[in-house]
Amino acid sequence: MEEKSLQRQGSITKGVHKVYLNARKSAVMSGVKDVLSFDAKEVYLETEQGVLLIKGDELHVNRLSLEKGEVDVDGRIDSFAYSDVEEAEKKAASFLGRLFQ
């Protein structure tokens, strides 16, 4: 009950991350810290539970409120995959290293 009252007031409880998926066409997420990157095929989000990769087609970030930690994504959603923040940073550094060799 307390969590619901905090969410009604627009505050985010530390560590809370929720994903609501509707018919693989739209997703509403809370507990989002940052949008790392996005395009029509992939959306990378830093969440309270790690980095979330959403894959699909014709993906659009429709609503973004980092103050509230909320993001809405529409399009054809094919998959969600989580990884730890440290792993994502290592992969990004590795990619950049290969790119500039």
Coordinates of all heavy atoms in Angstrom, one line a residue:
M1 N 0.8 -1.2 0.0 CA 0.0 0.0 0.0 C 0.9 1.3 0.0 O 0.6 2.2 -0.7 CB -0.9 -0.1 1.2 CG -1.9 1.1 1.3 SD -3.3 0.6 0.2 CE -4.4 1.9 0.6
E2 N 2.0 1.2 0.8 CA 2.8 2.4 0.9 C 3.5 2.7 -0.5 O 3.6 3.9 -0.9 CB 3.9 2.2 1.9 CG 4.8 3.3 2.1 CD 5.8 3.1 3.2 OE1 5.5 2.4 4.2 OE2 7.0 3.5 3.0
E3 N 3.9 1.7 -1.2 CA 4.5 1.9 -2.5 C 3.5 2.6 -3.5 O 3.9 3.5 -4.2 CB 4.9 0.5 -3.1 CG 5.6 0.6 -4.5 CD 5.9 -0.7 -5.0 OE1 7.0 -1.2 -4.7 OE2 5.2 -1.2 -5.8
K4 N 2.3 2.1 -3.5 CA 1.3 2.8 -4.4 C 1.1 4.2 -4.0 O 1.0 5.1 -4.9 CB -0.1 2.0 -4.2 CG 0.0 0.7 -4.9 CD -1.4 0.0 -4.8 CE -1.3 -1.3 -5.5 NZ -2.6 -2.0 -5.4
S5 N 1.1 4.6 -2.8 CA 0.9 6.0 -2.4 C 2.1 6.8 -2.8 O 1.9 8.0 -3.2 CB 0.6 6.2 -0.9 OG 1.7 5.7 -0.1
L6 N 3.3 6.3 -2.7 CA 4.5 7.0 -3.2 C 4.4 7.2 -4.7 O 4.8 8.2 -5.2 CB 5.8 6.2 -2.8 CG 6.2 6.3 -1.4 CD1 7.4 5.3 -1.1 CD2 6.5 7.7 -0.9
Q7 N 4.0 6.2 -5.4 CA 3.9 6.3 -6.9 C 2.9 7.3 -7.3 O 3.0 8.0 -8.3 CB 3.7 5.0 -7.5 CG 4.9 4.1 -7.5 CD 4.6 2.7 -8.1 OE1 3.5 2.3 -8.2 NE2 5.7 2.0 -8.4
R8 N 1.8 7.4 -6.6 CA 0.7 8.4 -6.9 C 1.3 9.8 -6.8 O 0.9 10.7 -7.5 CB -0.5 8.2 -6.0 CG -1.3 7.1 -6.4 CD -2.6 7.1 -5.6 NE -3.1 5.7 -5.6 CZ -3.5 5.0 -4.5 NH1 -3.3 5.5 -3.3 NH2 -3.9 3.8 -4.6
Q9 N 2.2 10.0 -5.8 CA 2.8 11.3 -5.6 C 3.9 11.6 -6.6 O 4.4 12.7 -6.6 CB 3.3 11.4 -4.2 CG 2.3 11.3 -3.1 CD 2.9 11.1 -1.7 OE1 4.1 11.2 -1.6 NE2 2.1 10.9 -0.7
G10 N 4.2 10.7 -7.4 CA 5.2 10.9 -8.5 C 6.6 10.7 -8.0 O 7.6 11.0 -8.7
S11 N 6.8 10.1 -6.8 CA 8.2 9.8 -6.3 C 8.6 8.4 -6.7 O 7.7 7.5 -6.9 CB 8.3 9.9 -4.8 OG 7.2 10.4 -4.2
I12 N 9.8 8.2 -6.8 CA 10.3 6.8 -7.1 C 11.0 6.3 -5.8 O 11.8 6.9 -5.2 CB 11.4 6.9 -8.2 CG1 10.7 7.3 -9.5 CG2 12.1 5.6 -8.4 CD1 9.8 6.4 -10.1
T13 N 10.6 5.0 -5.5 CA 11.2 4.3 -4.4 C 12.5 3.7 -4.9 O 12.5 3.0 -6.0 CB 10.3 3.2 -3.9 OG1 9.1 3.9 -3.5 CG2 10.9 2.6 -2.7
K14 N 13.6 3.9 -4.2 CA 14.9 3.4 -4.7 C 14.8 1.8 -4.9 O 14.3 1.1 -4.0 CB 16.0 3.7 -3.6 CG 17.4 3.4 -4.0 CD 17.9 4.4 -4.9 CE 19.4 4.1 -5.1 NZ 19.9 4.7 -6.3
G15 N 15.3 1.4 -6.0 CA 15.4 -0.1 -6.3 C 14.1 -0.6 -6.9 O 14.1 -1.8 -7.3
V16 N 13.1 0.2 -7.1 CA 11.8 -0.3 -7.7 C 11.9 -0.1 -9.2 O 12.3 0.9 -9.7 CB 10.6 0.4 -7.2 CG1 9.4 0.0 -7.9 CG2 10.4 0.2 -5.7
H17 N 11.7 -1.2 -9.9 CA 11.7 -1.2 -11.4 C 10.6 -2.1 -11.9 O 10.5 -3.3 -11.5 CB 13.1 -1.7 -11.9 CG 13.1 -2.0 -13.4 ND1 12.9 -1.0 -14.3 CD2 13.3 -3.1 -14.1 CE1 13.0 -1.6 -15.5 NE2 13.2 -2.8 -15.4
K18 N 9.7 -1.6 -12.7 CA 8.6 -2.3 -13.2 C 8.5 -2.1 -14.7 O 8.8 -1.1 -15.3 CB 7.3 -1.8 -12.6 CG 7.2 -2.1 -11.1 CD 5.9 -1.6 -10.6 CE 5.9 -1.9 -9.1 NZ 4.6 -1.4 -8.5
V19 N 8.1 -3.2 -15.4 CA 7.8 -3.2 -16.8 C 6.4 -3.7 -17.1 O 6.1 -4.8 -16.6 CB 8.9 -4.1 -17.6 CG1 8.5 -4.1 -19.0 CG2 10.3 -3.6 -17.3
Y20 N 5.6 -2.9 -17.8 CA 4.3 -3.4 -18.2 C 4.3 -3.5 -19.7 O 4.6 -2.5 -20.4 CB 3.3 -2.3 -17.8 CG 3.1 -2.2 -16.3 CD1 3.8 -1.1 -15.7 CD2 2.4 -3.1 -15.6 CE1 3.7 -1.0 -14.3 CE2 2.3 -2.9 -14.2 CZ 2.9 -1.9 -13.6 OH 2.9 -1.8 -12.2
L21 N 4.1 -4.7 -20.2 CA 4.1 -4.9 -21.7 C 2.7 -5.2 -22.1 O 2.0 -6.1 -21.6 CB 5.0 -6.1 -22.0 CG 5.2 -6.6 -23.4 CD1 5.8 -5.4 -24.2 CD2 6.0 -7.8 -23.5
N22 N 2.3 -4.5 -23.2 CA 0.9 -4.7 -23.7 C 1.0 -5.2 -25.1 O 1.4 -4.5 -26.0 CB 0.2 -3.4 -23.6 CG -1.3 -3.5 -24.1 OD1 -1.8 -4.6 -24.1 ND2 -1.8 -2.4 -24.5
A23 N 0.7 -6.5 -25.3 CA 0.6 -7.1 -26.6 C 1.8 -7.0 -27.5 O 1.7 -6.9 -28.7 CB -0.7 -6.6 -27.4
R24 N 3.0 -6.9 -26.9 CA 4.3 -6.7 -27.6 C 4.3 -5.4 -28.5 O 5.1 -5.3 -29.3 CB 4.6 -7.9 -28.4 CG 5.0 -9.1 -27.6 CD 5.4 -10.3 -28.5 NE 6.4 -9.9 -29.4 CZ 6.7 -10.7 -30.4 NH1 6.1 -11.9 -30.6 NH2 7.7 -10.4 -31.3
K25 N 3.4 -4.5 -28.2 CA 3.3 -3.3 -29.0 C 3.7 -2.0 -28.2 O 4.0 -1.0 -28.8 CB 1.9 -3.1 -29.6 CG 1.6 -4.2 -30.6 CD 0.2 -4.0 -31.2 CE -0.1 -5.1 -32.2 NZ -1.4 -5.0 -32.8
S26 N 3.6 -2.1 -26.9 CA 3.9 -1.0 -26.1 C 4.4 -1.5 -24.7 O 4.0 -2.5 -24.2 CB 2.8 0.0 -25.9 OG 1.7 -0.6 -25.2
A27 N 5.4 -0.7 -24.2 CA 5.9 -1.0 -22.8 C 6.0 0.3 -22.0 O 6.4 1.3 -22.6 CB 7.3 -1.7 -22.9
V28 N 5.6 0.2 -20.8 CA 5.7 1.3 -19.8 C 6.6 0.8 -18.7 O 6.4 -0.2 -18.1 CB 4.3 1.7 -19.3 CG1 4.4 2.8 -18.3 CG2 3.4 2.1 -20.4
M29 N 7.7 1.6 -18.5 CA 8.7 1.2 -17.5 C 8.9 2.3 -16.4 O 8.8 3.5 -16.7 CB 10.0 0.9 -18.2 CG 10.0 -0.3 -19.0 SD 11.1 -0.3 -20.4 CE 10.1 0.6 -21.6
S30 N 9.1 1.8 -15.2 CA 9.5 2.7 -14.1 C 10.8 2.3 -13.6 O 11.3 1.2 -13.9 CB 8.4 2.7 -13.0 OG 8.3 1.4 -12.4
G31 N 11.4 3.1 -12.8 CA 12.8 2.8 -12.2 C 13.9 2.9 -13.3 O 14.9 2.3 -13.2
V32 N 13.6 3.8 -14.2 CA 14.6 4.1 -15.3 C 15.5 5.3 -14.8 O 15.0 6.3 -14.5 CB 14.0 4.4 -16.6 CG1 15.0 4.7 -17.7 CG2 13.1 3.2 -17.1
K33 N 16.8 5.1 -14.8 CA 17.8 6.1 -14.5 C 18.2 7.0 -15.6 O 18.4 8.1 -15.5 CB 19.0 5.5 -13.8 CG 18.8 4.8 -12.5 CD 20.1 4.2 -12.0 CE 20.0 3.6 -10.7 NZ 21.3 3.1 -10.2
D34 N 18.4 6.3 -16.8 CA 18.9 7.0 -18.0 C 18.6 6.3 -19.2 O 18.5 5.0 -19.2 CB 20.4 7.2 -17.8 CG 21.0 8.2 -18.8 OD1 20.2 9.0 -19.4 OD2 22.2 8.4 -18.8
V35 N 18.5 7.0 -20.3 CA 18.4 6.4 -21.7 C 19.8 6.4 -22.2 O 20.3 7.5 -22.5 CB 17.4 7.1 -22.6 CG1 17.4 6.5 -24.0 CG2 16.0 7.1 -22.0
L36 N 20.4 5.3 -22.4 CA 21.8 5.3 -22.9 C 21.9 5.5 -24.4 O 22.8 6.2 -24.9 CB 22.5 3.9 -22.5 CG 22.5 3.7 -21.0 CD1 23.0 2.3 -20.7 CD2 23.2 4.8 -20.3
S37 N 21.0 4.8 -25.2 CA 20.9 5.0 -26.6 C 19.6 4.4 -27.1 O 19.0 3.6 -26.5 CB 22.1 4.5 -27.3 OG 22.1 3.1 -27.3
F38 N 19.2 4.9 -28.3 CA 18.0 4.2 -28.9 C 18.0 4.5 -30.4 O 18.5 5.5 -30.9 CB 16.7 4.7 -28.3 CG 16.4 6.2 -28.5 CD1 15.6 6.6 -29.6 CD2 16.9 7.2 -27.7 CE1 15.3 7.9 -29.8 CE2 16.6 8.5 -27.9 CZ 15.8 8.9 -29.0
D39 N 17.4 3.6 -31.1 CA 17.1 3.7 -32.5 C 15.9 2.9 -32.8 O 15.2 2.4 -31.9 CB 18.3 3.4 -33.4 CG 18.8 2.0 -33.3 OD1 18.0 1.1 -33.0 OD2 20.0 1.7 -33.5
A40 N 15.6 2.7 -34.1 CA 14.3 2.0 -34.5 C 14.4 0.5 -34.1 O 13.4 -0.2 -34.1 CB 14.1 2.1 -36.0
K41 N 15.6 -0.1 -33.9 CA 15.8 -1.5 -33.6 C 16.1 -1.8 -32.2 O 15.8 -2.9 -31.7 CB 16.8 -2.1 -34.5 CG 16.6 -1.9 -36.0 CD 16.0 -3.2 -36.6 CE 15.8 -3.0 -38.1 NZ 14.7 -3.8 -38.6
E42 N 16.7 -0.9 -31.4 CA 17.2 -1.2 -30.1 C 17.0 0.1 -29.2 O 17.3 1.2 -29.6 CB 18.7 -1.6 -30.1 CG 19.0 -2.9 -30.8 CD 20.4 -3.2 -30.7 OE1 21.3 -2.3 -30.5 OE2 20.7 -4.4 -30.9
V43 N 16.7 -0.2 -27.9 CA 16.7 0.8 -26.9 C 17.4 0.3 -25.7 O 17.2 -0.8 -25.2 CB 15.2 1.2 -26.5 CG1 15.2 2.2 -25.4 CG2 14.4 1.6 -27.7
Y44 N 18.5 1.1 -25.3 CA 19.3 0.8 -24.1 C 18.9 1.7 -23.0 O 19.0 2.9 -23.1 CB 20.8 1.0 -24.4 CG 21.4 -0.1 -25.1 CD1 21.5 -0.1 -26.5 CD2 22.0 -1.2 -24.5 CE1 22.1 -1.1 -27.2 CE2 22.6 -2.3 -25.2 CZ 22.7 -2.2 -26.5 OH 23.3 -3.2 -27.2
L45 N 18.4 1.1 -21.8 CA 18.0 1.9 -20.7 C 18.8 1.5 -19.5 O 19.0 0.3 -19.2 CB 16.5 1.7 -20.4 CG 15.6 2.0 -21.5 CD1 14.2 1.5 -21.1 CD2 15.5 3.4 -21.8
E46 N 19.3 2.4 -18.7 CA 19.9 2.1 -17.4 C 18.7 2.1 -16.4 O 18.1 3.2 -16.2 CB 21.0 3.1 -17.0 CG 21.6 2.7 -15.7 CD 22.7 3.7 -15.2 OE1 23.1 4.6 -16.0 OE2 23.2 3.5 -14.1
T47 N 18.5 1.0 -15.7 CA 17.4 0.9 -14.7 C 17.9 0.6 -13.3 O 19.1 0.4 -13.2 CB 16.4 -0.2 -15.1 OG1 17.0 -1.5 -14.8 CG2 16.0 -0.2 -16.6
E48 N 17.0 0.6 -12.4 CA 17.4 0.2 -11.0 C 17.9 -1.2 -10.9 O 18.6 -1.5 -9.9 CB 16.2 0.4 -10.1 CG 15.7 1.8 -9.9 CD 16.7 2.7 -9.1 OE1 17.5 2.1 -8.4 OE2 16.5 3.9 -9.1
Q49 N 17.6 -2.0 -11.9 CA 18.0 -3.5 -11.9 C 19.1 -3.8 -12.9 O 19.3 -5.0 -13.1 CB 16.8 -4.3 -12.1 CG 15.7 -4.1 -11.1 CD 16.1 -4.6 -9.7 OE1 16.6 -5.6 -9.5 NE2 15.8 -3.7 -8.8
G50 N 19.7 -2.8 -13.5 CA 20.8 -3.0 -14.4 C 20.4 -2.4 -15.8 O 19.4 -1.7 -15.9
V51 N 21.2 -2.7 -16.8 CA 21.0 -2.2 -18.1 C 20.0 -3.1 -18.8 O 20.1 -4.3 -18.8 CB 22.3 -2.1 -18.9 CG1 22.0 -1.7 -20.4 CG2 23.3 -1.1 -18.3
L52 N 19.0 -2.4 -19.4 CA 17.9 -3.2 -20.1 C 18.0 -2.9 -21.6 O 18.1 -1.7 -22.0 CB 16.5 -2.7 -19.6 CG 15.3 -3.2 -20.4 CD1 15.3 -4.7 -20.4 CD2 14.1 -2.6 -19.8
L53 N 18.2 -3.9 -22.4 CA 18.2 -3.8 -23.9 C 16.8 -4.3 -24.4 O 16.4 -5.4 -24.1 CB 19.3 -4.6 -24.5 CG 19.3 -4.8 -26.0 CD1 19.4 -3.5 -26.7 CD2 20.4 -5.8 -26.4
I54 N 16.1 -3.4 -25.1 CA 14.9 -3.8 -25.7 C 15.2 -3.9 -27.2 O 15.7 -2.9 -27.8 CB 13.8 -2.7 -25.5 CG1 13.6 -2.5 -24.0 CG2 12.5 -3.1 -26.2 CD1 12.8 -1.3 -23.6
K55 N 14.8 -5.0 -27.8 CA 15.0 -5.2 -29.3 C 13.7 -5.3 -29.9 O 12.7 -5.9 -29.3 CB 15.9 -6.4 -29.6 CG 17.3 -6.3 -29.2 CD 18.1 -7.5 -29.7 CE 19.6 -7.3 -29.4 NZ 20.4 -8.4 -30.0
G56 N 13.6 -4.8 -31.2 CA 12.3 -4.9 -31.9 C 12.5 -4.2 -33.2 O 13.6 -4.1 -33.8
D57 N 11.3 -3.7 -33.7 CA 11.3 -3.0 -35.0 C 10.4 -1.8 -34.9 O 9.4 -1.9 -34.2 CB 10.8 -4.0 -36.1 CG 11.2 -3.4 -37.5 OD1 12.2 -2.8 -37.6 OD2 10.4 -3.7 -38.4
E58 N 10.8 -0.7 -35.5 CA 10.0 0.5 -35.5 C 9.7 1.0 -34.0 O 8.7 1.4 -33.7 CB 8.7 0.4 -36.2 CG 8.9 0.1 -37.7 CD 7.5 -0.1 -38.4 OE1 6.5 0.3 -37.9 OE2 7.6 -0.6 -39.5
L59 N 10.8 0.9 -33.2 CA 10.7 1.3 -31.8 C 10.8 2.8 -31.7 O 11.5 3.5 -32.4 CB 11.8 0.7 -31.0 CG 11.8 -0.8 -30.9 CD1 13.1 -1.3 -30.1 CD2 10.6 -1.4 -30.3
H60 N 9.9 3.4 -30.8 CA 9.9 4.8 -30.6 C 9.8 5.0 -29.1 O 9.0 4.4 -28.4 CB 8.6 5.4 -31.2 CG 8.5 5.2 -32.6 ND1 9.1 6.0 -33.6 CD2 7.8 4.3 -33.3 CE1 8.8 5.6 -34.8 NE2 8.0 4.5 -34.7
V61 N 10.6 5.9 -28.5 CA 10.5 6.4 -27.2 C 9.5 7.5 -27.1 O 9.8 8.6 -27.6 CB 11.9 6.8 -26.6 CG1 11.7 7.4 -25.2 CG2 12.9 5.7 -26.6
N62 N 8.3 7.2 -26.7 CA 7.2 8.2 -26.7 C 7.2 9.1 -25.6 O 6.9 10.3 -25.7 CB 5.9 7.5 -26.8 CG 5.6 7.0 -28.2 OD1 6.1 7.5 -29.2 ND2 4.8 5.9 -28.3
R63 N 7.4 8.6 -24.4 CA 7.4 9.5 -23.2 C 8.6 9.2 -22.4 O 8.9 8.0 -22.1 CB 6.1 9.2 -22.4 CG 5.9 10.1 -21.2 CD 4.7 9.9 -20.4 NE 4.6 8.5 -19.9 CZ 5.0 8.2 -18.6 NH1 5.4 9.2 -17.8 NH2 5.0 7.0 -18.2
L64 N 9.3 10.2 -22.0 CA 10.5 10.1 -21.2 C 10.4 11.1 -20.0 O 10.3 12.3 -20.3 CB 11.7 10.3 -22.0 CG 13.1 10.5 -21.3 CD1 13.4 9.2 -20.6 CD2 14.1 10.8 -22.3
S65 N 10.4 10.6 -18.8 CA 10.5 11.5 -17.6 C 11.6 10.9 -16.7 O 11.3 10.0 -15.9 CB 9.1 11.5 -16.9 OG 9.3 12.3 -15.7
L66 N 12.8 11.4 -16.8 CA 13.9 10.9 -15.9 C 13.7 11.4 -14.5 O 14.1 10.7 -13.6 CB 15.2 11.3 -16.5 CG 15.6 10.6 -17.8 CD1 17.0 11.1 -18.3 CD2 15.6 9.1 -17.7
E67 N 13.0 12.5 -14.3 CA 12.7 12.9 -12.9 C 11.8 11.9 -12.2 O 12.0 11.6 -11.0 CB 12.0 14.3 -13.0 CG 12.8 15.4 -13.4 CD 12.1 16.7 -13.5 OE1 10.8 16.7 -13.3 OE2 12.7 17.8 -13.7
K68 N 10.9 11.3 -12.9 CA 10.0 10.3 -12.3 C 10.5 8.9 -12.6 O 10.1 7.9 -12.0 CB 8.6 10.4 -12.9 CG 7.8 11.6 -12.5 CD 6.4 11.6 -13.1 CE 5.7 12.8 -12.7 NZ 4.3 12.8 -13.2
G69 N 11.5 8.8 -13.5 CA 12.1 7.5 -13.8 C 11.2 6.7 -14.7 O 11.2 5.4 -14.6
E70 N 10.4 7.3 -15.6 CA 9.5 6.6 -16.4 C 9.8 6.7 -17.9 O 10.1 7.8 -18.3 CB 8.1 7.1 -16.1 CG 7.6 6.9 -14.7 CD 6.3 7.5 -14.4 OE1 5.8 8.4 -15.1 OE2 5.8 7.2 -13.3
V71 N 9.6 5.7 -18.6 CA 9.8 5.7 -20.1 C 8.7 4.8 -20.7 O 8.3 3.7 -20.2 CB 11.1 5.1 -20.5 CG1 11.3 5.0 -22.0 CG2 12.3 5.9 -19.9
D72 N 8.1 5.3 -21.8 CA 7.2 4.5 -22.7 C 7.8 4.2 -24.0 O 8.4 5.1 -24.6 CB 5.9 5.3 -22.9 CG 5.0 5.5 -21.7 OD1 5.4 5.1 -20.6 OD2 4.0 6.2 -21.8
V73 N 7.7 3.0 -24.4 CA 8.3 2.6 -25.7 C 7.2 1.9 -26.5 O 6.5 1.0 -26.0 CB 9.5 1.6 -25.6 CG1 10.0 1.1 -26.9 CG2 10.6 2.3 -24.8
D74 N 7.0 2.3 -27.8 CA 6.1 1.7 -28.7 C 6.8 1.1 -29.9 O 7.9 1.6 -30.2 CB 5.0 2.7 -29.2 CG 4.1 3.2 -28.1 OD1 3.9 2.5 -27.1 OD2 3.5 4.3 -28.3
G75 N 6.1 0.2 -30.6 CA 6.7 -0.5 -31.7 C 6.5 -2.0 -31.6 O 5.7 -2.4 -30.7
R76 N 7.2 -2.8 -32.4 CA 7.1 -4.2 -32.3 C 8.2 -4.6 -31.4 O 9.4 -4.6 -31.7 CB 7.2 -4.9 -33.6 CG 6.9 -6.5 -33.5 CD 7.2 -7.2 -34.7 NE 8.6 -7.5 -34.7 CZ 9.4 -7.5 -35.8 NH1 8.9 -7.2 -36.9 NH2 10.7 -7.7 -35.7
I77 N 7.9 -5.1 -30.2 CA 8.9 -5.5 -29.2 C 9.2 -7.0 -29.3 O 8.2 -7.8 -29.1 CB 8.4 -5.1 -27.8 CG1 8.3 -3.5 -27.7 CG2 9.4 -5.6 -26.7 CD1 7.6 -3.0 -26.5
D78 N 10.4 -7.3 -29.6 CA 10.8 -8.7 -29.7 C 11.4 -9.3 -28.5 O 11.2 -10.5 -28.2 CB 11.7 -8.9 -30.9 CG 11.1 -8.6 -32.2 OD1 9.8 -8.8 -32.3 OD2 11.8 -8.2 -33.1
S79 N 12.2 -8.5 -27.7 CA 12.9 -9.1 -26.6 C 13.3 -8.0 -25.6 O 13.5 -6.8 -25.9 CB 14.1 -9.9 -27.0 OG 15.1 -9.0 -27.5
F80 N 13.4 -8.4 -24.3 CA 14.0 -7.7 -23.2 C 15.2 -8.5 -22.7 O 15.1 -9.7 -22.5 CB 13.0 -7.5 -22.1 CG 11.9 -6.6 -22.3 CD1 10.7 -7.1 -22.8 CD2 12.0 -5.2 -22.1 CE1 9.6 -6.3 -23.0 CE2 10.9 -4.4 -22.3 CZ 9.7 -4.9 -22.8
A81 N 16.3 -7.8 -22.5 CA 17.5 -8.5 -21.9 C 18.2 -7.6 -20.9 O 18.4 -6.4 -21.2 CB 18.5 -8.9 -23.0
Y82 N 18.5 -8.1 -19.8 CA 19.2 -7.3 -18.7 C 20.6 -7.7 -18.6 O 21.0 -8.9 -18.8 CB 18.5 -7.6 -17.4 CG 17.2 -6.9 -17.2 CD1 16.0 -7.6 -17.6 CD2 17.0 -5.6 -16.7 CE1 14.7 -7.0 -17.4 CE2 15.8 -5.0 -16.6 CZ 14.7 -5.7 -16.9 OH 13.4 -5.1 -16.8
S83 N 21.5 -6.8 -18.2 CA 22.8 -7.0 -17.9 C 23.2 -6.0 -16.8 O 22.6 -5.0 -16.6 CB 23.8 -6.9 -19.1 OG 23.8 -5.6 -19.6
D84 N 24.3 -6.4 -16.1 CA 24.8 -5.5 -15.1 C 25.4 -4.2 -15.7 O 25.9 -4.3 -16.8 CB 25.8 -6.1 -14.2 CG 25.2 -7.2 -13.3 OD1 24.0 -7.1 -13.0 OD2 25.9 -8.2 -13.0
V85 N 25.4 -3.1 -15.0 CA 26.0 -1.9 -15.5 C 27.4 -2.0 -15.8 O 27.9 -1.6 -16.9 CB 25.8 -0.7 -14.5 CG1 26.4 0.5 -14.9 CG2 24.3 -0.5 -14.2
E86 N 28.2 -2.7 -15.0 CA 29.6 -2.9 -15.2 C 29.9 -3.7 -16.5 O 30.8 -3.3 -17.3 CB 30.3 -3.6 -14.1 CG 30.3 -2.9 -12.8 CD 29.0 -3.1 -12.0 OE1 28.2 -4.1 -12.2 OE2 28.7 -2.2 -11.2
E87 N 29.1 -4.7 -16.8 CA 29.2 -5.5 -18.0 C 29.0 -4.6 -19.3 O 29.7 -4.7 -20.2 CB 28.2 -6.7 -18.1 CG 28.6 -7.8 -17.1 CD 27.6 -8.9 -17.1 OE1 27.0 -9.1 -18.2 OE2 27.4 -9.6 -16.1
A88 N 27.9 -3.8 -19.2 CA 27.6 -2.9 -20.3 C 28.7 -1.9 -20.6 O 29.0 -1.6 -21.7 CB 26.3 -2.2 -20.1
E89 N 29.3 -1.3 -19.5 CA 30.4 -0.4 -19.7 C 31.6 -1.1 -20.3 O 32.3 -0.5 -21.1 CB 30.7 0.2 -18.3 CG 29.7 1.2 -17.8 CD 29.9 1.7 -16.4 OE1 30.9 1.2 -15.7 OE2 29.2 2.6 -16.0
K90 N 31.9 -2.3 -19.9 CA 33.0 -3.0 -20.5 C 32.8 -3.3 -22.0 O 33.7 -3.1 -22.8 CB 33.2 -4.3 -19.8 CG 33.8 -4.2 -18.4 CD 34.0 -5.6 -17.7 CE 34.4 -5.4 -16.3 NZ 34.5 -6.7 -15.6
K91 N 31.6 -3.7 -22.3 CA 31.2 -3.9 -23.7 C 31.4 -2.7 -24.6 O 31.9 -2.7 -25.7 CB 29.8 -4.5 -23.9 CG 29.7 -5.9 -23.4 CD 28.3 -6.5 -23.6 CE 28.2 -7.9 -23.0 NZ 26.8 -8.4 -23.0
A92 N 30.9 -1.5 -24.0 CA 31.0 -0.3 -24.7 C 32.4 0.1 -24.9 O 32.8 0.6 -26.0 CB 30.2 0.8 -24.0
A93 N 33.2 0.0 -23.9 CA 34.6 0.3 -24.0 C 35.4 -0.6 -25.0 O 36.2 -0.1 -25.7 CB 35.3 0.2 -22.6
S94 N 35.0 -1.8 -25.0 CA 35.6 -2.8 -25.9 C 35.2 -2.4 -27.3 O 36.1 -2.4 -28.2 CB 35.1 -4.2 -25.6 OG 35.6 -5.1 -26.6
F95 N 34.0 -2.1 -27.6 CA 33.5 -1.7 -28.9 C 34.3 -0.4 -29.4 O 34.8 -0.4 -30.5 CB 32.0 -1.4 -28.9 CG 31.5 -0.8 -30.2 CD1 31.4 -1.6 -31.3 CD2 31.2 0.5 -30.2 CE1 30.9 -1.1 -32.5 CE2 30.7 1.1 -31.4 CZ 30.6 0.2 -32.6
L96 N 34.4 0.6 -28.5 CA 35.1 1.8 -28.8 C 36.5 1.6 -29.1 O 37.1 2.2 -30.0 CB 34.9 2.9 -27.8 CG 33.5 3.5 -27.6 CD1 33.4 4.4 -26.5 CD2 33.1 4.2 -28.9
G97 N 37.1 0.7 -28.3 CA 38.5 0.3 -28.5 C 38.8 -0.3 -29.9 O 39.7 0.0 -30.6
R98 N 37.9 -1.2 -30.3 CA 38.0 -1.8 -31.6 C 37.7 -0.8 -32.7 O 38.4 -0.9 -33.8 CB 37.0 -3.0 -31.7 CG 37.4 -4.2 -30.9 CD 36.4 -5.3 -31.1 NE 35.3 -4.9 -30.4 CZ 34.1 -5.5 -30.5 NH1 33.9 -6.5 -31.3 NH2 33.1 -5.1 -29.7
L99 N 36.8 0.1 -32.5 CA 36.5 1.1 -33.5 C 37.6 2.0 -33.8 O 37.9 2.4 -34.9 CB 35.3 1.9 -33.0 CG 34.7 2.9 -34.0 CD1 34.1 2.1 -35.2 CD2 33.6 3.7 -33.3
F100 N 38.4 2.4 -32.8 CA 39.5 3.3 -33.0 C 40.9 2.7 -33.1 O 41.9 3.4 -33.0 CB 39.5 4.3 -31.8 CG 38.3 5.2 -31.8 CD1 37.3 5.1 -30.9 CD2 38.1 6.2 -32.9 CE1 36.2 6.0 -30.9 CE2 37.0 7.0 -32.9 CZ 36.1 6.9 -32.0
Q101 N 41.0 1.4 -33.3 CA 42.3 0.7 -33.5 C 42.9 1.0 -34.8 O 42.3 1.2 -35.8 CB 42.1 -0.8 -33.3 CG 42.1 -1.2 -31.9 CD 42.1 -2.7 -31.8 OE1 42.0 -3.4 -32.7 NE2 42.2 -3.2 -30.5

